[in-house]
Amino acid sequence: MAHYSAHQQAAAGAVPAHFKDLFTSGRLGSAEQDNGNSRNNNNGRDDNNEQENRLNNANNNGQSEAECWVFGYGSLCWHPGFTFSKCITGYVRGFVRRFWQGNATHRGTEEKPGRVATLMKDKEGITWGCAYRVTGNTALEYLKQRECTLGGYATLEAKFFPRVASQDTPFSGEAVEVLVYVATPENQHWLGEAPLLEIAHQIATSRGPSGHNAEYLLRLAMFMHEEIPGVRDEHLFELERLVLDELYRQEIPMSSVMGRNPDRIRRDSHEDIRRQPSFEFTSRVPETKLRCLNI
């Protein structure tokens, strides 16, 4: 069952200095690679977050470290910043993506906060993104600081549906639970709904320690266009159009917005190992006898 965590916001002074350095320097993790995927990070530890309960049964199957899947629908789609062993595109149901969360630590400042994505419940909604398979505590500790302590997000469990099912993944067409970071109206950074023109202006004119707010939006839109073509996200794509118009109107060069290109992420490596066609469902169709009619 989906649930929001009881995570409490940490005081600004409680954030470890080395995590502040990660974001002010613009580097999320080291250059170390893991099978051509993402980077490692050395984090401080804080055992008060619910997400760690997912790893407490690490030795149940004789494993030294437990695995879990983390769903990204914002900057995690193009800049995860942690080590993972697999990345798979897909979606979660019952949510829509909205730029209603304020941000004063990555893409804005306290005086001029930026706007970043969160998920809002909508029983007819579908949000596309990607799921990362992570092992052990390191990635989750990093995400706790990045998303919860600094970003104001809480944790949620949801069902993830892969774009391509394969025997090479644990999904095989079935949805599995993933950890999701969401912002709710109760957090201190919440900005909420606003006219799209107003949101676009705020995004086009905000910048923080991790870079320009527009980069966050435009790279997320690029992920959707390139990795999941044919899928429409009206809120995201309309904001993309409005932000580009605003940047042009204010004569803000794209070179000052986009920063350096992130490392390429290998997604859906199982796509060429698709499951063999199965007739398990067609075999359940009841036999039908046809009658010839003399006309």
Side-chain angles (χ1 to χ4, degrees):
M1 177 179 295
H3 66 280
Y4 291 109
S5 76
H7 174 80
Q8 300 295 322
Q9 298 303 317
V15 179
H18 57 279
F19 265 95
K20 291 183 178 179
D21 292 341
L22 278 176
F23 297 107
T24 55
S25 67
R27 289 179 290 114
L28 303 179
S30 68
E32 183 178 351
Q33 298 290 323
D34 178 25
N35 296 327
N37 288 327
S38 190
R39 278 86 52 203
N40 253 323
N41 304 281
N42 291 321
N43 322 4
R45 291 189 174 274
D46 176 7
D47 296 329
N48 65 353
N49 194 286
E50 236 177 58
Q51 62 183 306
E52 292 178 357
N53 294 333
R54 298 173 61 87
L55 302 178
N56 287 340
N57 59 351
N59 296 317
N60 286 352
N61 298 318
Q63 297 178 337
S64 58
E65 290 183 301
E67 293 180 345
C68 74
W69 290 81
V70 176
F71 179 68
Y73 58 90
S75 61
L76 292 184
C77 290
W78 54 273
H79 201 169
F82 53 84
T83 295
F84 57 91
S85 57
K86 188 173 286 290
C87 178
I88 297 174
T89 56
Y91 61 89
V92 294
R93 293 175 178 168
F95 298 94
V96 291
R97 178 168 28 217
R98 294 290 183 265
F99 276 73
W100 292 358
Q101 172 70 348
N103 188 272
T105 53
H106 307 318
R107 299 291 171 173
T109 63
E110 292 289 346
E111 296 75 21
K112 191 175 179 55
R115 277 184 178 261
V116 291
T118 187
L119 296 183
M120 298 301 297
K121 288 185 178 181
D122 182 331
K123 64 180 181 179
E124 302 297 329
I126 288 179
T127 298
W128 287 83
C130 52
Y132 296 95
R133 184 171 64 191
V134 299
T135 304
N137 278 320
T138 303
L140 294 182
E141 290 287 351
Y142 167 76
L143 286 168
K144 186 194 310 177
Q145 293 289 344
R146 169 175 166 173
E147 304 295 332
C148 300
T149 304
L150 297 178
Y153 288 70
T155 55
L156 169 76
E157 286 183 353
K159 293 290 187 180
F160 174 79
F161 298 83
R163 184 178 64 86
V164 179
S166 169
Q167 293 174 342
D168 187 45
T169 73
F171 305 108
S172 298
E174 300 293 332
V176 298
E177 284 192 350
V178 291
L179 187 66
V180 190
Y181 294 87
V182 296
T184 67
E186 289 74 27
N187 85 88
Q188 62 180 332
H189 303 298
W190 183 258
L191 294 178
E193 187 174 5
L196 288 183
L197 278 171
E198 179 181 320
I199 294 177
H201 175 78
Q202 185 173 357
I203 291 174
T205 56
S206 296
R207 180 185 290 273
S210 294
H212 201 290
N213 197 181
E215 179 185 25
Y216 176 107
L217 171 81
L218 297 176
R219 290 202 185 278
L220 177 56
M222 288 170 59
F223 160 80
M224 289 293 295
H225 293 314
E226 295 176 0
E227 300 292 339
I228 316 175
V231 172
R232 290 291 301 172
D233 186 322
E234 296 299 336
H235 181 82
L236 173 63
F237 292 164
E238 181 62 11
L239 279 177
E240 175 191 25
R241 184 185 69 81
L242 292 173
V243 166
L244 287 172
D245 286 348
E246 184 70 13
L247 292 174
Y248 178 79
R249 188 181 69 82
Q250 297 197 30
E251 299 183 345
I252 301 175
M254 291 298 293
S255 59
S256 70
V257 169
M258 298 305 286
R260 72 176 186 87
N261 289 327
D263 295 335
R264 186 74 177 174
I265 298 174
R266 187 181 181 216
R267 305 181 181 92
D268 296 326
S269 58
H270 63 290
E271 190 164 1
D272 55 345
I273 321 176
R274 299 180 188 228
R275 290 195 299 168
Q276 295 297 319
S278 170
F279 299 97
E280 61 176 315
F281 297 107
T282 57
S283 65
R284 298 175 189 171
V285 177
E287 182 180 356
T288 301
K289 294 184 178 180
L290 302 179
R291 214 173 30 160
C292 292
L293 299 177
N294 294 320
I295 300 177

